[in-house]
């Protein structure tokens, strides 16, 4: 399975928390897509101290593996095709990025395993537009409880779409991901 975690402002601490709650062998790949350059530049250095899974900064052509955490590099759009990551220059260098939306749509189109999309703390509504795509392919969607988010715009926008299955606190998000991973054995192709 694949789990996409999209966040921006205030999402850094949250990713660390989610990482620390996740069991080591869940059988899913966790992909953290953060649209704030500062956060994504340091996240792959911070996360290994907080999760039992290997953490990798995504590079062009890197294969997706289960039981790994993958972090998007700064100022890149991310696609997935044939089980590999593909990086492109960011399509919206100014204004609010749509890095999370683009990646989640790519996941929905090109991923053959179980899908979980998680929208956490952030400004604007990056990720929201892709939720219907995730639902259409049978994916599960989770939003952080807005009153526990440092910036609630992103989770609130996601919830308003009506495409969110679970609204959970940080700790519960990690537990839910683990539950989903265990409930759906099977690998991506």
């Amino acid at each position: 399975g694949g789990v996409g975690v999209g966040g921006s402002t205030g999402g850094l601490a949250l990713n660390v928390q989610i990482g620390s709650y996740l069991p080591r062998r869940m059988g899913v790949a966790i992909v953290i897509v953060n649209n704030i350059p500062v956060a994504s530049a340091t996240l792959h250095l911070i996360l290994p101290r907080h999760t039992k899974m290997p953490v990798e900064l995504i590079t062009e052509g890197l294969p997706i593996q289960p039981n790994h955490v993958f972090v998007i590099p700064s100022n890149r759009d991310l696609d997935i095709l044939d089980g590999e990551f593909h990086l492109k220059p960011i399509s919206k260098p100014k204004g609010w990025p749509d890095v999370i939306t683009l990646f989640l749509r790519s996941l929905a189109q090109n991923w053959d395993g179980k899908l979980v999309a998680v929208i956490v703390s952030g400004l604007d509504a990056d990720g929201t537009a892709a939720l219907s795509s995730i639902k259409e392919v049978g994916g599960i969607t989770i939003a952080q409880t807005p009153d526990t988010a440092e910036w609630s715009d992103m989770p609130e926008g996601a919830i308003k779409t009506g495409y969110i299955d679970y609204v959970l606190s940080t700790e519960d998000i990690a537990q839910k991901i683990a539950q989903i991973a265990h409930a759906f054995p099977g690998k991506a192709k």
Side-chain angles (χ1 to χ4, degrees):
V3 181
V5 181
S8 65
T9 320
L12 177 65
L14 195 96
N15 288 327
V16 167
Q17 284 173 288
I18 289 176
S20 67
Y21 289 123
L22 289 173
R24 183 176 199 147
R25 300 199 64 75
M26 287 198 309
V28 297
I30 308 277
V31 184
I32 294 178
V33 187
N34 205 311
N35 62 21
I36 298 288
V38 183
S40 47
T42 54
L43 189 59
H44 68 289
L45 304 174
I46 297 166
L47 265 181
R49 300 202 289 271
H50 299 277
T51 178
K52 300 179 184 77
M53 288 184 275
V55 177
E56 291 188 61
L57 188 67
I58 294 167
T59 51
E60 176 61 31
L62 184 72
I64 298 184
Q65 296 167 276
N67 305 311
H68 281 62
V69 179
F70 296 99
V71 181
I72 189 172
S74 302
N75 296 315
R76 290 285 183 276
D77 282 344
L78 180 64
D79 282 329
I80 178 172
L81 192 63
D82 299 329
E84 293 180 349
F85 291 112
H86 297 285
L87 294 166
K88 294 188 296 207
I90 198 158
S91 58
K92 273 179 75 181
K94 293 201 169 69
W96 290 109
D98 51 8
V99 173
I100 300 166
T101 295
L102 291 171
F103 174 65
L104 291 178
R105 278 198 180 131
S106 180
L107 257 188
Q109 286 160 3
N110 302 309
W111 186 259
D112 197 28
K114 285 292 156 197
L115 260 186
V116 184
V118 186
I119 303 289
V120 300
S121 173
L123 291 163
D124 195 46
D126 195 4
T128 300
L131 294 171
S132 57
S133 312
I134 296 283
K135 293 305 300 167
E136 277 163 23
V137 295
I140 292 169
T141 52
I142 302 172
Q144 184 183 0
T145 312
D147 61 8
T148 66
E150 188 177 342
W151 297 96
S152 60
D153 297 20
M154 263 171 55
E156 276 175 356
I159 292 161
K160 279 183 190 142
T161 64
Y163 292 119
I164 290 289
D165 296 315
Y166 301 101
V167 179
L168 301 167
S169 67
T170 315
E171 191 172 349
D172 291 341
I173 287 173
Q175 287 174 350
K176 179 57 74 178
I177 292 171
Q179 271 174 11
I180 292 164
H182 290 307
F184 295 122
K187 296 191 191 93
K189 60 181 175 191

